[in-house]
C-alpha cells in the first residue's frame, strides 16, 4: 500500500455519508446506554467500570477497526472469506463445548474479561462467503443448483447457532433471502408465497387452526367463483388450498410439539393469547409503557423513570430502544428510524453501484442483516413481533455486536471506496 | 448491473414499508394512547402518607407530660420478596420462623402486590441495625411514624392512650381514618383527638422496579405537608402530680386538686395507676390485657368514675342550702344528745359525740349528725309543701353544687354520681306521703347518694370561692394561640349567697386549726387550711378514708379531695396526704413530721383478702335507683373505653 493509494482513500472515494450515519448511531447508542444504566442515587463521574464507559472503549476501538478495514487491501476479504468462514464455523462449534451459558444460551466464549460471541461474527463470514460463492456463478443464469449451494453456505452456521440454542441470531440469517431474491434465485411470486406462509403461520397461532383453514377455503372459494370459466386457475387454486391446509396443520403441530415453552409463551404474548403483565408479558408491557410514556417530546435525557428505575429488563442491550422512546419521545424515535432507513436505502444504492457481483451481493447481505435487526429489535419493543433477543445494530451495548456490525459495514465501504479498482 | 436491477426498488420498498409500520405503531403508542403514561406513573409513583406529629401535652409550667418518639413500621409487598434471607430478617426483627410465616401469610392475604405492615413499631435502636441490612430484603421497606412517650410515667388515666383505629372508628369518621391510623382511646387523648391528631400529608415518591424509594416526584409539586397536631397546655402541675402519685402508691383511691379561681385541675390521681409507656410499643397488646385483668382495675378512672357516699362533705352543702332556703341561720342551735331521733322517736341516727346545744359553726367543725338531721327535716317537712315537692327543691339546690350530674370535665367517661329524684321515693314507698324520716341518711351524705372525688373537690372549690365555680378542666390552653375553651371561663353559681359561707368556712377552719379538730394533726403552719376528714361508708368492707380541704382561707389557691379506699378513718390516711400536697403546692415544702410522711409512703393498703373482687368495694351504692338503666353492663363501675365511646355518641 503506497501513499498515493492512501491519499485517494481519504480523498473522497469513501462514502462519508454512510460513515456519518454509522457514527451518529454509535453516539446515540452511547447516550442511551448512559441513560439506561444511569443510577440517580450514584450519578458519579465517567467510569470505565460502567457499561457506558466500556461502550466508549468499544466505540473507540470500532473506529480503529474501521480504519484498519479501510486500509487493508480489498482483495483480502474475498480471498480469505473461505478461511474466515471456516474459522467462524470452528468457533461456533467451540462455543458449544467451552462456551459460557448466559441466559440459557451457550453463546459466549470468555476471553479474559471480554466475552466473544461467535454468532455475531458468523453473519459477517457467511455474507462474505455467500457473496463469493454466488458471484462465482453470477455469469450463469440463476439455477437451482447454485441456490442450493448458497443455502448450504447459510444453513451450516444457522444449524450451529440453533444448537446453542440462540433462535434470535439464527433467524437473522433468514434475512439473506433478500440477497437470493435480488440475484434472481427466488422469484417475486415465491417471495409473496413466503410472505403468505408467514402470515398463515401467525394466523394459525393466533386463532384456531380450523378457523384459519376455513378462512383459506372461503378465499379460495371466492377465487374459484371469480375464475369459474378458467379450469386451469381453478385447479391451481384447489392445489393452493390443499397445500395451505396441510401447512396450517403442520404449523400447529410444530408449535405444540417442537417449540420450547418459553418460545411459545413469547409468541402467545405478542398474539394477545396470554395477558399476563407480571409474568411472561412483563418485559413487553414495561417496554411499551416506557416507549408510550415518552409521548411527543420525550421525558428528557436521564429523566425516563422506566429506564432510570430499571423497570425494563435488558435496557442497555436488547431493549435499548425503550430508552430512546421514553427519553426522546416520538421525535427521537423518528430520528433513529429515519437514520436507519436512510442507512438501509443508502446501502442498497451503494450495492447497485458496485461493478463486481461480489461487492454487490455482499452489500445486499449487509443491508439484509441490518434490516432484520432493525425491524425485529424495534418491532419487539413495541409489541409487533415476538421478543427475540437480538441487538439493535450500533446502538445496543456490547463489544461483539458493535464490532461485528462495524466490520460488516466497513468492509462494504472498503469495496465501495475501491469500486473503480479491481477486486 | 444485471437483469434483476429493478428488484432494488422492491427491496427498498419493503424497507420503507416496514419503517412506516414501525413509525405508525410508535405514533399510536406515543401520541394516541395515553394509558402508557399513566402506567409509567403508576409504576414509579407511591403515595407515602406522612403521619403528622401528634400534639404534645405540657403541664401548667411548660414541662412535658407527653411527647413523641420515632418508631418504624416494617412493610412488605409479598410479590416483590425475592431471595430472602429469612433467618437474618427474623433475627433483626426479633421473631421466629413461625412468626415470619404467619406475618407473610397475613400480608399475602391482604394483597400480594400492595405493601402492608409486617412488623409494627420497631424501636429506633433496633431499626438502626435493620436499616443496614434492609437492601438485602427485597420487597421490604420501612415507614417511620411517631409514638407517644411519657418522660415521667405519670398521669396515665388523665392523659389516656391512643390505639389503632377499629372498623367502627373508620366508619364513623367518614373515611378520615384509615386502617393503621391511631386514635385517642381514652383520657385527654380522646377528648382532644380532633386537635391532637393533626393533618396527614402525602408525599409522592418515585420508586424503582424493586420498590425502593428513589426521590420525590415532580420536585414535590403534588406533595402536601403534614400538619402537626395542636399542642395542649394542661392545668396539671407536674411536680405536684408526681408527689401525689408517690403518696398514693399501694393505695386505692383518688386525689383531685383544683385551683378554685379558674377550675383548673392541679392534680388528678387515680390509684393504682400504671406507667402510660406500657400502652405504647410492641408489648402494648400484652400490657393492655394485663391492665384489663388487673384485680385493682388500674384503667378505671376513679376521680370521675368511682362514686362514694360523700359523708361529711355533704354536711357542708346541706348547711349552705339550708341557710339559703331560710330554714336555718348561722345562729340556729339544735340539741345533740348523741343522736337524732326520727320516725316518731322509734329510730335513731347516731352521732359520734354528745354535744348538747350546738350552733352551725360547731356542727360543721364537729361534723354533728344530729344537727344536720334536724336541718334536713326542716328542709323536707317544714316548708308548707308536700314532702316530694320540698324534696325536689332540696334536690335542685343540692344539684347546683354539682352533685348527681356530670360537671362536664374534659375527659370522657365522667359519671353523674347519684341523687335520687322525689319520684323514686314515691314509687318506692307506694305513695307521696313520705317524709324526711324515710331517707334521713341523705342528711349526712350517706345512703342513696353517690359522689365522685372530682365532685367532692369541686364542692370545696365552691366553698373556697364562696358561691361559684368554674367547670373543672384538665386542659387550660390549646395550640400556639393558647386558646381557652369558652365553657371553662363561664362562672357557674352554686345558688347560695356569699354571706352564708362564712359560718361554714369558719367551721372548716376550726376543724383543722383548733386543737381537738378532726384535722388538727395535719394542720399546716402559717397557712389557714379549711378542711375536714370524712368517712365514706362502704357496705362491702372497711370504710373509705376521705379528706377535703381548701387553703388558704382567704383568697384560696387550692381545693383538694383525697379518697383512700378501705383505709378506715379519714384523719389517718387521707388527711396527711392532702396536707402534704397543699403545703407543697403553696409553700414548696413539707413540714409534716417525717414519721407521718414515712408512714404514708410505706403504707400498703391494697385489699389483700379478696383481690378478686375489689371493684365491689368501691361500688357507690347497693342500688342505682335513679333513672333506670337499660344496659345491665352499665351497673359495672368499670368502664371500658369502648363503652365510653358508645356513651359519648
Amino acid at each position: 500500500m503506497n501513499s498515493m493509494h492512501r491519499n485517494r482513500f481519504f480523498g473522497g472515494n469513501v462514502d462519508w455519508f454512510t460513515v456519518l450515519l454509522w457514527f451518529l448511531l454509535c453516539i446515540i447508542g452511547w447516550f442511551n446506554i448512559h441513560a439506561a444504566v444511569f443510577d440517580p442515587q450514584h450519578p458519579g463521574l465517567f467510569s470505565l467500570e460502567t457499561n457506558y464507559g466500556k461502550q466508549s472503549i468499544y466505540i473507540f476501538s470500532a473506529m480503529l477497526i474501521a480504519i484498519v478495514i479501510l486500509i487493508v487491501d480489498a482483495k483480502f476479504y474475498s480471498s480469505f472469506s473461505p478461511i474466515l468462514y471456516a474459522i467462524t464455523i470452528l468457533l461456533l462449534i467451540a462455543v458449544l463445548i467451552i462456551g459460557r451459558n448466559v441466559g440459557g444460551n451457550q453463546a459466549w466464549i470468555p476471553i479474559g474479561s471480554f466475552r466473544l460471541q461467535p454468532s455475531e461474527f458468523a453473519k459477517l463470514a457467511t455474507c462474505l462467503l455467500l457473496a463469493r460463492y454466488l458471484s462465482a456463478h453470477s455469469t450463469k443464469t440463476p439455477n437451482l443448483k447454485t441456490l442450493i449451494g448458497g443455502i448450504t453456505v447459510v444453513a451450516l452456521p444457522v444449524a450451529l447457532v440453533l444448537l446453542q440454542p440462540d433462535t434470535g441470531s439464527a433467524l437473522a440469517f433468514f434475512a439473506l433471502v433478500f440477497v437470493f431474491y435480488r440475484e434472481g434465485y427466488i422469484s417475486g411470486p415465491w417471495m409473496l408465497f413466503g410472505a403468505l406462509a408467514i402470515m398463515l403461520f401467525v394466523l394459525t397461532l393466533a386463532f384456531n387452526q380450523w378457523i384459519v383453514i376455513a378462512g383459506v377455503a372461503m378465499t379460495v372459494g371466492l377465487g374459484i367463483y371469480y375464475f369459474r370459466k378458467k379450469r386451469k386457475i381453478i385447479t391451481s387454486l384447489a392445489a393452493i388450498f390443499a397445500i395451505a391446509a396441510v401447512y396450517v396443520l403442520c404449523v400447529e403441530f410444530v408449535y405444540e410439539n417442537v417449540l420450547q415453552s418459553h418460545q411459545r409463551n413469547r409468541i402467545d404474548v405478542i398474539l394477545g393469547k396470554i395477558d399476563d403483565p407480571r409474568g411472561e408479558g412483563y418485559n413487553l408491557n414495561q417496554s411499551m409503557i416506557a416507549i408510550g410514556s415518552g409521548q411527543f417530546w420525550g421525558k428528557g435525557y436521564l429523566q425516563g423513570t422506566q429506564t432510570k428505575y430499571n423497570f425494563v429488563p435488558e435496557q442497555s442491550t436488547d431493549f435499548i430502544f425503550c430508552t430512546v422512546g421514553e427519553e426522546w419521545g416520538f421525535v427521537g424515535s423518528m430520528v433513529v428510524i429515519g437514520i436507519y432507513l436512510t442507512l438501509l436505502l443508502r446501502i442498497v444504492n451503494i450495492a447497485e453501484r458496485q461493478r463486481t457481483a461480489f461487492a454487490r451481493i455482499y452489500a445486499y447481505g449487509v443491508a439484509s442483516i441490518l434490516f432484520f435487526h432493525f425491524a425485529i429489535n424495534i418491532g419487539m419493543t413495541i409489541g409487533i413481533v415476538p421478543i427475540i433477543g437480538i441487538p439493535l445494530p450500533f446502538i445496543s451495548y456490547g463489544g461483539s455486536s458493535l464490532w461485528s456490525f462495524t466490520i460488516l459495514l466497513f468492509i462494504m465501504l472498503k469495496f465501495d471506496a475501491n469500486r473503480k479498482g479491481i477486486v | 448491473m444485471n437483469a434483476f436491477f429493478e428488484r432494488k426498488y422492491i427491496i427498498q420498498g419493503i424497507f420503507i414499508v416496514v419503517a412506516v409500520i414501525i413509525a405508525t405503531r410508535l405514533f399510536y403508542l406515543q401520541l394516541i394512547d395515553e394509558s402508557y403514561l399513566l402506567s409509567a406513573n403508576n409504576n414509579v409513583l407511591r403515595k407515602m402518607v406522612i403521619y403528622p406529629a401528634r400534639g404534645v401535652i405540657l403541664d401548667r409550667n411548660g414541662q412535658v407530660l407527653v411527647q413523641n418518639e420515632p418508631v418504624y413500621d416494617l412493610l412488605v409487598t409479598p410479590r416483590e420478596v425475592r431471595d430472602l434471607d429469612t433467618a437474618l430478617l427474623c433475627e433483626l426483627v426479633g421473631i421466629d420462623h413461625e412468626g415470619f410465616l404467619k406475618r407473610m401469610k397475613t400480608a399475602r392475604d391482604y394483597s400480594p402486590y400492595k405493601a402492608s405492615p409486617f412488623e409494627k413499631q420497631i424501636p429506633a435502636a433496633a431499626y438502626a441495625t435493620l436499616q443496614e441490612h434492609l437492601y438485602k430484603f427485597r420487597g421490604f421497606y420501612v415507614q417511620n411514624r411517631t409514638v407517644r412517650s411519657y418522660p415521667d410515667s405519670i398521669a396515665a388515666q388523665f392523659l389516656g392512650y391512643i390505639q389503632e383505629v377499629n372498623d367502627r372508628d373508620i366508619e364513623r369518621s367518614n373515611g378520615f381514618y384509615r386502617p393503621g391510623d391511631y386514635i385517642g382511646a381514652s383520657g385527654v387523648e380522646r377528648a382532644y383527638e380532633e386537635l391532637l391528631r393533626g393533618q396527614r400529608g402525602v408525599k409522592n415518591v418515585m420508586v424503582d422496579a424493586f420498590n425502593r424509594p428513589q426521590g420525590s416526584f415532580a420536585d414535590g409539586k403534588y406533595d402536601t405537608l403534614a400538619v402537626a397536631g395542636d399542642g395542649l397546655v394542661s392545668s396539671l402541675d407536674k411536680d405536684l402530680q408526681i408527689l401525689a402519685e408517690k403518696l398514693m402508691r399501694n393505695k386505692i383511691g383518688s386525689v383531685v386538686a383544683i385551683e378554685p379561681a379558674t377550675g383548673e385541675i392541679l392534680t388528678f390521681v387515680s390509684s393504682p395507676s400504671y406507667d402510660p409507656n406500657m400502652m405504647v410499643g410492641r408489648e402494648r397488646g400484652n400490657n393492655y390485657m394485663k391492665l384489663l385483668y388487673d384485680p385493682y382495675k388500674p384503667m378505671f378512672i376513679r376521680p370521675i368514675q368511682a362514686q362514694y357516699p360523700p359523708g361529711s362533705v355533704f354536711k357542708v352543702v346541706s348547711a349552705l342550702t339550708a341557710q339559703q332556703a331560710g330554714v336555718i341561720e348561722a345562729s340556729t342551735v339544735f340539741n345533740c344528745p348523741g343522736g337524732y331521733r326520727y320516725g316518731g322517736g322509734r329510730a335513731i341516727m347516731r352521732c359520734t359525740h354528745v354535744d348538747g346545744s350546738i350552733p352551725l359553726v360547731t356542727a360543721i367543725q364537729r361534723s354533728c349528725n344530729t344537727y344536720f338531721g334536724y336541718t334536713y327535716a326542716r328542709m323536707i317537712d317544714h316548708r308548707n309543701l308536700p314532702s316530694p315537692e320540698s324534696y325536689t327543691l332540696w334536690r335542685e339546690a343540692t344539684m347546683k353544687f354539682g352533685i348527681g350530674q356530670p360537671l362536664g370535665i374534659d375527659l370522657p367517661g365522667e359519671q353523674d354520681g347519684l341523687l335520687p329524684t322525689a319520684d323514686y321515693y314515691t314509687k318506692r314507698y307506694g305513695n307521696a306521703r313520705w317524709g324526711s324520716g324515710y331517707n334521713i341518711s341523705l342528711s349526712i351524705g350517706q345512703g342513696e347518694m353517690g359522689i365522685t372525688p372530682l365532685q367532692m373537690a369541686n364542692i370545696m372549690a365552691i366553698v373556697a370561692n364562696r358561691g361559684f365555680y368554674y367547670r373543672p378542666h384538665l386542659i387550660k390552653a390549646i395550640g400556639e394561640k393558647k386558646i381557652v375553651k369558652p365553657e371553662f371561663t363561664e362562672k357557674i353559681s352554686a345558688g347560695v349567697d356569699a354571706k352564708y359561707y362564712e359560718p361554714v368556712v369558719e367551721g372548716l377552719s376550726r376543724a383543722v386549726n383548733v386543737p381537738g379538730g378532726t384535722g388538727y394533726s395535719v394542720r399546716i403552719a402559717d397557712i389557714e387550711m379549711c378542711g375536714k376528714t370524712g368517712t365514706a361508708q362502704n357496705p362491702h368492707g372497711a370504710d373509705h378514708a376521705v379528706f377535703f380541704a381548701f387553703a388558704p382561707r382567704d383568697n384560696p389557691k387550692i381545693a383538694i379531695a383525697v379518697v383512700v379506699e378501705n383505709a378506715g378513718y379519714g384523719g389517718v390516711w387521707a388527711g396527711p396526704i392532702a396536707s402534704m400536697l397543699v403545703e407543697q403546692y403553696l409553700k414548696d415544702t413539707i413540714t409534716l413530721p417525717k414519721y407521718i410522711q414515712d408512714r404514708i409512703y410505706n403504707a400498703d393498703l391494697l385489699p389483700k383478702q379478696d383481690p378478686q373482687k375489689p371493684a365491689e368495694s368501691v361500688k357507690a351504692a347497693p342500688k342505682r335507683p335513679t333513672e333506670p338503666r337499660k344496659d345491665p353492663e352499665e351497673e359495672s363501675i368499670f368502664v371500658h373505653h369502648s363503652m365510653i365511646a358508645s356513651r359519648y355518641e
Side-chain angles (χ1 to χ4, degrees):
Chain A
M1 211 170 281
N2 56 40
S3 63
M4 276 289 290
H5 198 152
R6 203 169 302 160
N7 280 344
R8 209 180 62 194
F9 150 56
F10 281 113
N13 275 339
V14 173
D15 190 63
W16 289 110
F17 183 65
T18 305
V19 174
L20 175 69
L21 294 175
W22 166 81
F23 187 69
L24 279 177
L25 289 174
C26 287
I27 293 305
I28 288 172
W30 187 87
F31 277 105
N32 284 296
I33 291 162
H34 179 229
V37 299
F38 176 70
D39 180 355
Q41 301 274 301
H42 309 96
L45 292 167
F46 181 82
S47 157
L48 292 183
E49 294 296 303
T50 58
N51 280 3
Y52 56 91
K54 288 182 189 165
Q55 187 74 2
S56 322
I57 297 174
Y58 297 152
I59 291 174
F60 187 69
S61 47
M63 289 160 100
L64 291 179
I65 290 170
I67 291 170
V68 170
I69 287 169
L70 291 178
I71 291 171
V72 171
D73 197 282
K75 279 181 192 155
F76 171 81
Y77 306 110
S78 52
S79 316
F80 283 83
S81 58
I83 296 166
L84 262 172
Y85 185 81
I87 292 171
T88 309
I89 295 297
L90 286 177
L91 280 175
L92 283 175
I93 294 166
V95 83
L96 293 174
I97 301 157
I98 61 163
R100 182 176 297 174
N101 197 316
V102 175
N105 290 347
Q106 192 97 351
W108 308 84
I109 296 175
I111 303 169
S113 65
F114 179 73
R115 295 182 307 187
L116 184 75
Q117 199 176 1
S119 58
E120 294 293 346
F121 295 97
K123 291 166 199 161
L124 166 71
T126 307
C127 274
L128 277 174
L129 191 69
L130 183 66
R132 183 178 160 131
Y133 175 81
L134 290 181
S135 63
H137 296 82
S138 62
T139 45
K140 292 183 266 176
T141 320
N143 57 54
L144 191 63
K145 196 180 146 199
T146 318
L147 175 64
I148 289 168
I151 287 174
T152 312
V153 169
V154 179
L156 187 57
V158 167
L160 289 170
V161 171
L162 275 176
L163 282 176
Q164 290 180 358
D166 184 355
T167 322
S169 294
L171 281 172
F173 289 88
F174 285 97
L176 294 172
V177 72
F178 287 116
V179 175
F180 290 105
Y181 171 66
R182 167 61 184 84
E183 294 305 312
Y185 291 97
I186 301 170
S187 68
W190 275 107
M191 287 288 279
L192 198 65
F193 192 73
L196 282 174
I198 293 170
M199 205 177 78
L200 271 186
F201 179 84
V202 173
L203 286 174
T204 307
L205 299 184
F207 304 101
N208 184 298
Q209 47 187 328
W210 303 113
I211 294 175
V212 177
I213 291 175
V216 173
M218 267 173 69
T219 316
V220 170
L222 280 173
I224 290 174
Y225 176 75
Y226 188 77
F227 294 110
R228 57 189 177 278
K229 298 274 167 57
K230 295 177 181 173
R231 181 165 297 182
K232 213 173 165 187
I233 291 178
I234 291 173
T235 317
S236 48
L237 277 174
I240 286 170
F241 171 73
I243 292 166
V246 171
Y247 172 74
V248 165
L249 293 174
C250 283
V251 165
E252 186 70 22
F253 177 81
V254 167
Y255 174 76
E256 291 294 342
N257 301 301
V258 178
L259 286 187
Q260 293 176 11
S261 71
H262 72 275
Q263 292 165 329
R264 263 205 302 276
N265 281 338
R266 286 173 177 183
I267 293 170
D268 286 350
V269 168
I270 290 290
L271 298 173
K273 280 166 85 174
I274 302 179
D275 185 17
D276 178 14
R278 296 246 161 203
E280 270 300 323
Y282 177 83
N283 294 3
L284 176 60
N285 188 44
Q286 293 300 341
S287 162
M288 297 207 320
I289 288 171
I291 294 169
S293 65
Q295 304 208 305
F296 192 73
W297 290 110
K299 294 176 186 169
Y301 184 47
L302 300 183
Q303 301 300 314
T305 53
Q306 288 284 106
T307 304
K308 207 159 47 165
Y309 301 136
N310 307 321
F311 284 93
V312 186
E314 313 282 345
Q315 294 179 53
S316 51
T317 55
D318 295 351
F319 282 90
I320 190 72
F321 190 73
C322 295
T323 311
V324 178
E326 187 181 20
E327 299 200 339
W328 305 98
F330 184 66
V331 175
S333 307
M334 285 306 109
V335 168
V336 169
I337 288 165
I339 293 174
Y340 268 115
L341 185 59
T342 312
L343 180 64
L344 291 170
L345 299 179
R346 182 81 179 180
I347 293 171
V348 171
N349 284 337
I350 288 174
E352 290 298 344
R353 76 186 184 201
Q354 300 306 311
R355 287 165 59 184
T356 65
F358 174 77
R360 181 185 66 236
I361 294 166
Y362 176 74
Y364 264 106
V366 172
S368 308
I369 288 187
L370 288 181
F371 168 72
F372 181 84
H373 277 83
F374 156 73
I376 299 298
N377 180 283
I378 295 182
M380 79 178 178
T381 61
I382 55 178
I384 52 180
V385 295
I387 292 172
I388 294 166
I390 56 169
L392 190 57
F394 312 118
I395 290 187
S396 283
Y397 166 77
S400 286
S401 147
L402 178 60
W403 292 340
S404 66
F405 285 120
T406 302
I407 295 168
L408 198 67
L409 186 70
F410 275 82
I411 288 177
M412 182 203 78
L413 287 176
K414 176 64 186 176
F415 291 153
D416 181 54
N418 213 32
R419 64 181 183 271
K420 288 183 181 117
I422 301 143
V423 176
Chain B
M1 306 304 138
N2 64 25
F4 300 106
F5 172 76
E6 77 287 351
R7 289 196 175 178
K8 164 196 170 182
Y9 300 111
I10 306 274
I11 290 171
Q12 287 185 328
I14 291 171
F15 289 177
I16 292 168
V17 166
V18 168
V20 167
I21 290 172
I22 289 173
T24 312
R25 175 70 172 169
L26 283 168
F27 182 82
Y28 172 77
L29 284 183
Q30 299 185 303
L31 304 183
I32 307 293
D33 194 335
E34 294 280 322
S35 71
Y36 293 105
L37 184 60
L38 276 178
S39 306
N41 286 341
N42 286 344
N43 265 344
V44 293
L45 259 191
R46 294 287 179 280
K47 283 187 185 300
M48 306 274 266
V49 175
I50 310 298
Y51 289 96
R54 209 172 159 82
V56 169
I57 304 177
L58 305 175
D59 89 333
R60 64 190 294 113
N61 301 314
Q63 302 196 72
V64 174
L65 294 174
V66 193
Q67 59 193 12
N68 299 306
E69 200 170 74
V71 290
Y72 302 87
D73 288 357
L74 183 64
L75 309 181
V76 63
T77 309
R79 196 52 200 249
E80 287 165 6
V81 175
R82 244 162 260 168
D83 314 323
L84 181 66
D85 184 346
T86 315
L88 180 64
L89 181 72
C90 289
E91 191 196 314
L92 291 172
V93 180
I95 54 173
D96 57 5
H97 190 68
E98 211 169 288
F100 169 81
L101 295 177
K102 213 178 99 189
R103 285 169 172 80
M104 283 306 281
K105 191 186 177 305
T106 314
R108 217 173 293 120
D109 289 348
Y110 171 71
S111 163
Y113 297 110
K114 281 192 215 152
S116 59
F118 180 80
E119 180 69 9
K120 289 180 187 167
Q121 302 196 0
I122 297 169
Y127 170 66
T129 32
L130 176 65
Q131 192 194 22
E132 283 173 27
H133 298 276
L134 200 62
Y135 74 95
K136 294 179 196 162
F137 307 132
R138 197 179 280 185
F140 286 85
Y141 61 97
V142 161
Q143 190 161 46
N144 67 321
R145 62 198 309 167
T146 56
V147 291
R148 293 307 234 181
S149 147
Y150 308 84
D152 293 288
S153 302
I154 55 163
Q157 294 93 341
F158 154 85
L159 295 168
Y161 54 89
I162 56 174
Q163 63 177 20
E164 252 185 82
V165 289
N166 55 34
D167 294 345
R168 273 188 61 201
D169 295 326
I170 294 170
E171 204 177 298
R172 206 163 42 222
S173 72
N174 283 326
F176 179 89
Y177 294 105
R178 307 203 193 122
D181 281 353
Y182 283 78
I183 187 171
S186 80
V188 170
E189 297 276 19
R190 183 185 173 84
Y192 290 88
E193 167 67 15
E194 277 80 7
L195 298 166
L196 287 169
R197 67 189 179 194
Q199 216 169 359
R200 267 190 309 253
V202 173
K203 193 173 168 195
N204 293 285
V205 179
M206 291 203 285
V207 298
D208 68 4
F210 308 117
N211 234 347
R212 292 175 302 208
Q214 299 288 330
S216 71
F217 175 74
D219 291 327
K221 207 164 87 187
Y222 306 105
D223 295 358
T224 53
L225 284 173
V227 180
D230 281 327
L232 301 180
V233 179
S234 124
S235 58
L236 222 59
D237 183 307
K238 188 167 113 175
D239 299 332
L240 197 65
Q241 177 77 15
I242 291 173
L243 175 65
E245 290 197 9
K246 211 167 136 199
L247 289 167
M248 289 300 286
R249 198 169 295 158
N250 291 324
K251 301 162 192 73
I252 295 177
S254 308
V255 176
V256 178
I258 301 176
E259 182 177 67
T262 56
E264 291 169 10
I265 294 174
L266 302 168
T267 302
F268 187 90
V269 179
S270 179
S271 189
S273 188
Y274 60 91
D275 181 349
N277 289 307
M278 285 171 79
M279 298 301 281
V280 176
R282 296 206 269 175
E283 282 303 302
R284 183 187 186 283
N286 292 338
N287 289 338
Y288 182 76
M289 294 319 281
K290 222 184 280 171
L291 292 173
L292 200 56
Y293 290 107
D294 186 318
Y296 302 122
K297 305 289 179 202
M299 296 181 66
F300 178 48
I301 310 172
R302 289 185 162 77
I304 57 168
Q305 292 177 336
Q307 301 167 43
Y308 311 90
S312 298
V313 75
F314 186 72
K315 291 171 187 160
V316 171
V317 177
S318 189
L320 293 166
T321 52
Q323 286 184 81
Q324 182 72 28
V327 299
I328 61 167
E329 286 169 17
S331 57
T332 305
V333 172
F334 292 111
N335 181 48
C336 173
Y340 170 75
R341 289 191 174 276
Y342 62 100
R346 289 190 303 277
I348 187 164
M349 178 171 74
R350 294 200 176 279
C351 198
T352 46
H353 358 64
V354 182
D355 283 333
S357 292
I358 182 170
L360 178 57
V361 172
T362 321
I364 290 285
Q365 179 195 342
R366 297 180 62 80
S367 202
C368 180
N369 287 351
T370 312
Y371 193 98
F372 291 100
Y374 282 116
T375 306
Y376 182 67
R378 284 200 182 179
M379 288 290 275
I380 304 301
D381 306 334
H382 303 284
R383 299 181 79 177
N384 301 321
L385 287 168
S387 291
E389 279 174 46
S390 11
Y391 177 85
T392 300
L393 288 176
W394 171 85
R395 183 172 180 273
E396 279 165 3
T398 303
M399 282 180 79
K400 289 205 164 169
F401 281 80
I403 297 174
Q405 62 183 354
L407 287 170
I409 189 179
D410 46 352
L411 267 195
E414 189 192 0
Q415 293 291 300
D416 304 4
L418 172 63
L419 188 60
T421 58
D423 283 352
Y424 165 75
Y425 290 107
T426 304
K427 261 186 208 142
R428 178 161 153 188
Y429 298 118
N431 57 55
R433 293 191 300 277
W434 49 275
S436 68
Y438 286 72
N439 49 23
I440 192 68
S441 59
L442 293 179
S443 67
I444 56 164
Q446 306 281 13
E448 289 126 356
M449 193 185 287
I451 177 172
T452 64
L454 177 72
Q455 288 167 332
M456 214 178 277
N458 191 52
I459 290 168
M460 275 301 106
I462 293 169
V463 178
N465 287 335
R466 274 73 164 177
F468 64 89
Y469 68 98
Y470 293 96
R471 224 177 278 283
H473 53 279
L474 295 161
I475 297 303
K476 56 181 279 184
I478 296 163
E480 280 178 12
K481 292 179 186 162
K482 308 272 179 230
I483 295 163
V484 183
K485 281 192 166 187
E487 63 258 43
F488 296 145
T489 57
E490 178 197 349
K491 197 168 167 176
I492 302 166
S493 166
V496 175
D497 300 341
K499 60 182 178 192
Y500 298 124
Y501 283 84
E502 215 28 57
V504 173
V505 170
E506 176 62 25
L508 289 173
S509 175
R510 285 189 201 173
V512 175
N513 300 302
V514 171
T518 54
Y520 187 68
S521 63
V522 297
R523 74 195 179 281
I524 304 166
D526 308 330
I527 296 173
E528 191 176 350
M529 178 164 76
C530 306
K532 248 186 80 55
T533 56
T535 304
Q537 275 186 336
N538 176 14
H540 306 283
D543 285 350
H544 307 316
V546 175
F547 192 89
F548 47 89
F550 66 90
R553 175 171 176 164
D554 297 316
N555 198 10
K557 291 277 180 274
I558 182 170
I560 191 167
V562 176
V563 178
V564 184
E565 287 183 15
N566 312 110
Y569 182 58
V572 181
W573 298 108
I577 292 174
S579 163
M580 284 158 80
L581 288 169
V582 168
E583 190 175 12
Q584 174 69 38
Y585 181 69
L586 294 177
K587 291 174 67 182
D588 210 16
T589 175
I590 298 172
T591 55
L592 207 66
K594 181 130 192 336
Y595 73 93
I596 301 184
Q597 292 190 33
D598 289 343
R599 183 169 56 87
I600 302 291
Y601 285 130
N602 299 330
D604 184 351
L605 300 178
L606 296 177
K608 294 281 178 293
Q609 66 278 17
D610 190 12
Q612 297 308 310
K613 301 196 296 184
E616 284 279 296
S617 65
V618 296
K619 215 160 200 174
K623 277 190 202 161
R624 312 234 357 186
T626 40
E627 294 81 26
R629 300 272 189 189
K630 282 169 203 150
D631 187 355
E633 282 278 325
E634 299 272 329
E635 269 293 289
S636 165
I637 46 149
F638 177 76
V639 180
H640 185 258
H641 68 82
S642 62
M643 287 169 59
I644 299 169
S646 63
R647 200 169 306 169
Y648 267 68
E649 275 166 276

